[in-house]
Amino acid sequence: MELISDSDDGDTSEWETDEDDGDERPPLNPPLPSASVAGPSQKVSEASSSRPDLVLHFMAMGFSEDMVVKAIEENGEGNTEAILETLLTHSAIGISPLKREQSPVDCTLSSDEDVLGDDLSDMSNFEYSSEDEEYTVECSDKDRKLSILIDMGFPADEASSAITRCGPTAPVLEIADSIHAAQLAAESALTEDDLFPSWSEDKPMASYACGSSVKNKRKYYEMKKMNERGCFLDRKKACFRQANMGDGFPSGSSIPKPMIGFSLPNQKMKPVNRMLPEAAIGPPYFYYENVALAPKGVWETISRFLYDIEPEFVDSKFFCAANRKRGYVHNLPIQNRFPLQPLPPRTVQEALPMTKKWWPTWDHRTQLNCLQTCIASAKLTERIRSALVNSEDPPPERVQRFVMNECKKWNLVWVGLHKVAPLEPDEMEMLLGFPRDHTRGGGISRTERYRSLGNSFQVDTVAYHLSVLKEMFPNGINLLSLFSGIGGAEVALNRLGIHLRNVVSVELSEINRNIIRGWWEQTNQTGNLIEIADVQHLNGDKLEQMINMFGGFDLVIGGSPCNNLAGSNRYSRDGLEGKESALFYDYFRILDLVKNIMGKSF
């Protein structure tokens, strides 16, 4: 998975929610009613007694006989749910199954192209031939589903992203479920009756469906899916109640300035008396990290899912020579923390003393901005050099302004007279608290090193928070590391002198897994390292097996991808609905499973 810059720059954005009507939903397993079921009575009374009960049942909902018959032929008589979905879907796009066969949906989009961006607007530039037949069929199917989803009330960009995520062959309802699975931030805008209706098994389906819209059907499917994930349903109901009762993370609260967290090394601060909610108390301890300047509502949602713990927002500029604004949700003690020794440099010129000779007096930077996953081009650094060479000394204000804007944006440092350059990977490793050459070798390119480092923890910051574990686990720790990246948590614990007894590292990138494995071997770790590639493949059975093997996990740590949260992402900053950042819910899913399994076993 290719990750983008996790720069914190950019203000938070407001994200609107899609409010649905609060009509009743059909029961999960509705009984099939007879022909006398109440519905649009006129249509039922006009129906011929020779018609099958199944046809009459759906005609009672207001569907035409032709549509019903064709939908039954498509799905079979035994699958009433699929029949209903077919009817609702074709009602949404305004055609019947019969018309669909005669007039396929047009693949062109028109007004939606501007909303969807380059992914679909470029389609018109292709000249299709017989060689493109397979692509044409896929395009047509994708855009037909896109049109359906838009008519169902989904935003065009979310629908397009979900189709890409689920695949062009996925059913419309599966895609709709995918869109809604991450839209949990909207729960506070709904009433509890909307989210948790009192379905009655003895009510006929028609009494629910006559007034229901496609949006209500979509919400019904969301709740059905949540019911199948028992812990998610319970958690969402609790989130709703706390959001409306004023408990937990306060709605609309702002990120503190400066971001100093609950304490800083060697600085006297007002003591914080933190009371954890009962559900948050371990075992295990857990620690979650992500970018602080996320879209509006993201941290409220993260807090509610992680047992209503108030986030601790910290800027790494208090720990090293680079800014890195992050939020941390954890149930660790906050007293008796201590920093890693030796303390890292806090200014650029202390961290990179070779640059001091060339640093101009008009560059007043003492610290770098957030370290990113990409660097400035050689063309840019040459433009800066040319601008300075052709200017007076000192250069005019407009030149200074141009140079400083680019230096701040790309973290350029002075390496010679009139010469700036990006940070080298080993310099980034040092600033982030990793050992020298941590990401070097093993066939890893410079580009891959920058990408991996830009998405990592700042080790000194994380180690300060984890330092409380040293006295608590003198014999070592069992660690479940989710979204391990290049092993920031493992490096932090090792530098604290905490023995890594058993580490289960879950990381999708093979490059990052190689980096962790190389570090594990080079530092002569004596514990057990278990590697798992995909966090979505980590289920309850595997967790229970490992918990029984190790005797439980002491710490569950991780920072899910920030791709759809970071301020630098101007194209898919979709919050927790985004393809990558929605993996936060897997962090919660796994943590909740671990807590439940350990609660039963110990």
Side-chain angles (χ1 to χ4, degrees):
M1 168 169 36
E2 182 173 340
L3 301 178
I4 64 167
S5 167
D6 68 347
S7 171
D8 308 300
D9 296 337
D11 295 329
T12 56
S13 306
E14 292 193 11
W15 297 88
E16 297 179 358
T17 57
D18 182 17
E19 297 183 7
D20 298 337
D21 296 330
D23 299 334
E24 292 181 305
R25 278 62 166 180
L28 293 179
N29 296 295
L32 185 64
S34 65
S36 61
V37 166
S41 57
Q42 184 177 0
K43 290 187 179 182
V44 175
S45 63
E46 291 174 355
S48 168
S49 60
S50 62
R51 291 172 179 153
D53 288 349
L54 188 60
V55 176
L56 290 174
H57 159 58
F58 287 109
M59 288 178 63
M61 300 181 193
F63 300 110
S64 70
E65 182 178 6
D66 288 342
M67 287 183 69
V68 172
V69 171
K70 188 61 179 176
I72 292 173
E73 289 177 359
E74 285 188 8
N75 299 282
E77 294 185 3
N79 195 342
T80 57
E81 187 174 296
I83 295 169
L84 177 60
E85 185 52 43
T86 298
L87 293 169
L88 285 168
T89 299
H90 293 300
S91 294
I93 63 174
I95 61 172
S96 71
L98 287 171
K99 291 180 181 179
R100 183 188 58 171
E101 290 184 350
Q102 297 164 1
S103 303
V105 177
D106 192 352
C107 185
T108 58
L109 286 179
S110 69
S111 62
D112 286 323
E113 290 181 352
D114 291 336
V115 178
L116 296 171
D118 295 338
D119 290 343
L120 291 179
S121 62
D122 287 344
M123 285 182 182
S124 59
N125 296 330
F126 287 99
E127 295 182 2
Y128 296 114
S129 63
S130 58
E131 297 176 357
D132 299 318
E133 181 177 355
E134 182 178 350
Y135 178 83
T136 306
V137 172
E138 182 177 321
C139 168
S140 176
D141 189 47
K142 175 179 178 179
D143 290 322
R144 178 181 64 81
K145 291 176 180 177
L146 180 65
S147 178
I148 294 172
L149 291 164
I150 291 172
D151 286 335
M152 289 172 73
F154 291 111
D157 55 345
E158 293 182 21
S160 178
S161 297
I163 293 172
T164 302
R165 181 166 62 245
C166 298
T169 60
V172 171
L173 271 184
E174 181 181 326
I175 299 170
D177 279 344
S178 175
I179 300 172
H180 251 65
Q183 292 182 334
L184 302 179
E187 66 237 3
S188 60
L190 305 174
T191 67
E192 187 168 3
D193 290 337
D194 287 335
L195 288 173
F196 310 101
S198 301
W199 288 315
S200 173
E201 295 292 335
D202 57 359
K203 283 188 179 182
M205 179 183 281
S207 65
Y208 289 100
C210 287
S212 66
S213 63
V214 175
K215 284 186 178 182
N216 289 334
K217 177 66 177 175
R218 191 179 72 224
K219 190 182 292 182
Y220 151 63
Y221 265 88
E222 177 194 3
M223 294 312 302
K224 178 180 178 182
K225 189 171 183 179
M226 299 289 277
N227 265 310
E228 293 170 353
R229 304 177 182 177
C231 66
F232 260 63
L233 180 60
D234 293 341
R235 186 69 199 138
K236 187 170 182 181
K237 192 165 186 175
C239 287
F240 164 78
R241 286 175 174 166
Q242 287 153 0
N244 287 275
M245 292 172 63
D247 295 334
F249 192 64
S251 177
S253 62
S254 60
I255 294 176
K257 295 181 181 180
M259 295 186 191
I260 57 176
F262 299 136
S263 65
L264 290 176
N266 305 321
Q267 293 193 25
K268 293 183 178 180
M269 297 174 58
K270 184 178 180 180
V272 176
N273 185 19
R274 187 173 74 144
M275 297 295 293
L276 291 176
E278 183 177 354
I281 299 173
Y285 288 107
F286 64 87
Y287 187 86
Y288 176 81
E289 180 255 21
N290 218 314
V291 293
L293 302 182
K296 183 179 180 181
V298 165
W299 278 106
E300 284 86 345
T301 300
I302 291 173
S303 174
R304 289 178 190 141
F305 268 81
L306 296 181
Y307 314 103
D308 307 299
I309 297 178
E310 178 184 357
E312 181 175 10
F313 294 105
V314 184
D315 191 335
S316 66
K317 71 179 183 179
F318 299 107
F319 292 85
C320 70
N323 291 277
R324 203 173 188 80
K325 300 177 178 66
R326 294 292 183 267
Y328 304 90
V329 178
H330 60 85
N331 63 347
L332 295 166
I334 60 175
Q335 308 300 328
N336 301 319
R337 293 169 165 178
F338 61 88
L340 288 174
Q341 297 292 339
L343 294 175
R346 289 276 302 280
T347 68
V348 179
Q349 294 184 14
E350 289 174 352
L352 306 171
M354 297 298 291
T355 68
K356 186 175 182 179
K357 175 181 178 181
W358 307 109
W359 210 273
T361 56
W362 45 269
D363 184 345
H364 303 293
R365 288 179 297 161
T366 58
Q367 291 189 309
L368 299 172
N369 285 327
C370 183
L371 304 181
Q372 302 183 21
T373 58
C374 51
I375 61 172
S377 67
K379 289 183 178 179
L380 175 61
T381 56
E382 174 57 23
R383 278 168 47 205
I384 292 174
R385 191 195 69 83
S386 297
L388 293 174
V389 167
N390 296 320
S391 299
E392 302 172 355
D393 187 16
E397 185 178 346
R398 60 179 180 81
V399 174
Q400 290 185 28
R401 187 164 53 249
F402 159 68
V403 173
M404 290 311 306
N405 285 341
E406 298 302 328
C407 285
K408 291 177 180 178
K409 179 179 179 181
W410 295 105
N411 283 321
L412 302 176
V413 294
W414 298 93
V415 296
L417 181 62
H418 302 148
K419 290 172 61 178
V420 293
L423 294 168
E424 291 294 324
D426 63 301
E427 293 171 332
M428 287 183 64
E429 289 170 343
M430 179 268 298
L431 289 166
L432 291 169
F434 289 95
R436 185 179 178 86
D437 295 331
H438 182 71
T439 59
R440 188 178 184 183
I444 300 170
S445 69
R446 284 170 57 87
T447 300
E448 291 162 344
R449 293 180 70 186
Y450 284 121
R451 183 181 299 119
S452 296
L453 286 162
N455 286 293
S456 68
F457 286 158
Q458 204 291 318
V459 172
D460 298 274
T461 309
V462 172
Y464 179 66
H465 296 160
L466 300 182
S467 61
V468 297
L469 298 173
K470 185 168 184 177
E471 288 188 2
M472 300 170 65
F473 298 98
N475 297 322
I477 196 169
N478 293 331
L479 175 69
L480 175 55
S481 178
L482 305 176
F483 315 103
S484 296
I486 57 174
E490 292 85 339
V491 171
L493 291 166
N494 182 67
R495 290 190 60 191
L496 286 166
I498 300 175
H499 173 50
L500 299 172
R501 294 170 55 199
N502 297 286
V503 174
V504 177
S505 174
V506 187
E507 170 57 38
L508 187 62
S509 167
E510 183 178 0
I511 292 170
N512 290 344
R513 294 200 303 273
N514 290 339
I515 292 173
I516 295 175
R517 194 183 312 113
W519 171 84
W520 186 271
E521 295 168 354
Q522 291 165 18
T523 53
N524 300 316
Q525 299 294 320
T526 59
N528 300 312
L529 174 64
I530 298 174
E531 297 177 286
I532 298 175
D534 194 341
V535 70
Q536 295 181 313
H537 294 165
L538 188 55
N539 56 29
D541 291 339
K542 291 181 180 178
L543 287 167
E544 188 167 10
Q545 181 182 2
M546 290 184 290
I547 287 171
N548 291 333
M549 184 189 309
F550 304 149
F553 290 108
D554 303 310
L555 176 65
V556 179
I557 195 168
S560 53
C562 64
N563 300 48
N564 310 113
L565 307 182
S568 60
N569 187 346
R570 306 302 183 189
Y571 300 99
S572 58
R573 197 169 185 240
D574 302 325
L576 294 178
E577 302 169 15
K579 178 181 178 181
E580 284 82 16
S581 294
L583 290 170
F584 158 74
Y585 297 109
D586 280 290
Y587 178 91
F588 164 73
R589 172 183 64 84
I590 292 168
L591 173 61
D592 214 46
L593 282 170
V594 171
K595 286 176 67 69
N596 289 334
I597 295 169
M598 290 181 62
K600 294 175 183 177
S601 303
F602 303 100

